[in-house]
Amino acid sequence: MPLARLKPSRVLGIERFTDFGEFRANEVLGLATSTPLRPREFSLTRAILPLQNGLFVLQRAFARQLELDVGTDQGMGLVVPFSFHSLYNGREIDNSTVSVVRGRVPIKSVEPQPNTYLMMRFNSDMRHRGWADYDSGLGFFRTHDAPMARLRATILNMFCLASEHGEPRQFEAINRPIQETLLDCLDAALVPADGLAARRGSFDKHRKLIARLDEIVALFGSKPLYSDDLARALGVSVRTLQTATHAVHGVSLHHYLRLKRLWSTRIQLMTGGAGLSVKAAALGNGFWHLGDFSRGYKMTFGEAPSETLARGRRL
């Protein structure tokens, strides 16, 4: 687990405590009262990352009893487990379960071992994405291994990038691409596949919606494509747009938009001038993890982006 290896930067804050007397609770999802189960083994590390639409805290805590009013007055909160086992109000929670809270809920928990997890607070309630469709309370969502692994990998990538980044303005420019990837991972974890099943007889309506989506994407030109912006332009929820994409093309909305962004990047690389770089083209189309971009590009087009750029310069 690389949390211990993360270093503070002008983007990422790091807090480490080895003395319970100096320990301060983090209020991202509510102010808690902790009682160590093994005081001599006390240790806590947290990495704090503010992004455009929320606050994200990756934490390795100590074995403890915990009491708190978990939740937020606005927006919504989530807990994503990495290495986790706890009893929440008598309910056993493990590595496969994402916790989602709306409003405030009193919690008494026992964490018999040091737990590692991400706490995130979104400024939006995220109802337009189809997550946790209830007004208030604490919900538990068991996920399959593949979407959970991808979610964790995305979280670790964004924290590692923040740790290595020394320029806040440059990092701010990739906030939205980072969050778009994170939102897609959460969509896969929190919206069941059968929840995207189209109603009988609705295919024609979905086909027309996707045709309008393609028109708007064309108008966006080389601008990065974000699901929230596109849904807003179409006057529908992201959840509706996800259902339509799945019904018409059999893939997720994120996958469909990713292919369009890959094609946009390819066109730029084939026609760009001498000053264009692969990194600039990728970032300009919303790809923030360059290793992932290069792998996806080669898998889609059968060549590395640098090869496309070199061939374009020869033409």
Side-chain angles (χ1 to χ4, degrees), residues 147-206:
M148 181 63 89
R150 183 166 168 259
L151 174 57
R152 289 178 181 139
T154 295
I155 291 167
L156 294 180
N157 284 335
M158 64 191 246
F159 273 86
C160 289
L161 183 62
S163 179
E164 298 163 0
H165 222 288
E167 180 47 59
R169 288 189 179 181
Q170 291 179 5
F171 190 80
E172 186 176 320
I174 59 174
N175 264 212
R176 285 206 72 190
I178 289 174
Q179 290 188 164
E180 183 72 10
T181 305
L182 180 63
L183 292 175
D184 171 63
C185 292
L186 289 168
D187 287 340
L190 299 176
V191 180
D194 56 3
L196 295 178
R199 294 180 179 178
R200 183 175 299 177
S202 61
F203 181 81
D204 191 54
K205 179 180 70 174
H206 291 317

Side-chain angles (χ1 to χ4, degrees), residues 226-273:
Y226 300 121
S227 53
D228 284 343
D229 293 346
L230 294 169
R232 192 177 303 112
L234 289 164
V236 299
S237 69
V238 174
R239 174 72 174 273
T240 297
L241 199 51
Q242 290 170 330
T243 301
T245 308
H246 193 270
V248 175
H249 293 292
V251 297
S252 70
L253 175 61
H254 176 80
H255 182 81
Y256 188 62
L257 296 180
R258 179 181 171 85
L259 284 175
K260 289 184 174 295
R261 289 188 289 120
L262 282 170
W263 272 108
S264 176
T265 307
R266 183 171 177 81
I267 291 170
Q268 288 184 31
L269 293 174
M270 293 175 67
T271 60

Side-chain angles (χ1 to χ4, degrees), residues 215-226 229-230 233:
E215 292 174 359
I216 288 178
V217 167
L219 292 175
F220 271 52
S222 60
K223 294 180 181 178
L225 302 174
Y226 300 121
D229 293 346
L230 294 169

Side-chain angles (χ1 to χ4, degrees), residues 1 20 34 46 48 54 74 83 99 132 135 137 148 153 165 191 198 206 222 239 253 269 280 296:
M1 173 64 208
F20 183 71
S34 297
R46 66 168 68 111
I48 303 168
Q74 295 181 337
S83 175
S99 306
D135 292 330
M148 181 63 89
H165 222 288
V191 180
H206 291 317
S222 60
R239 174 72 174 273
L253 175 61
L269 293 174

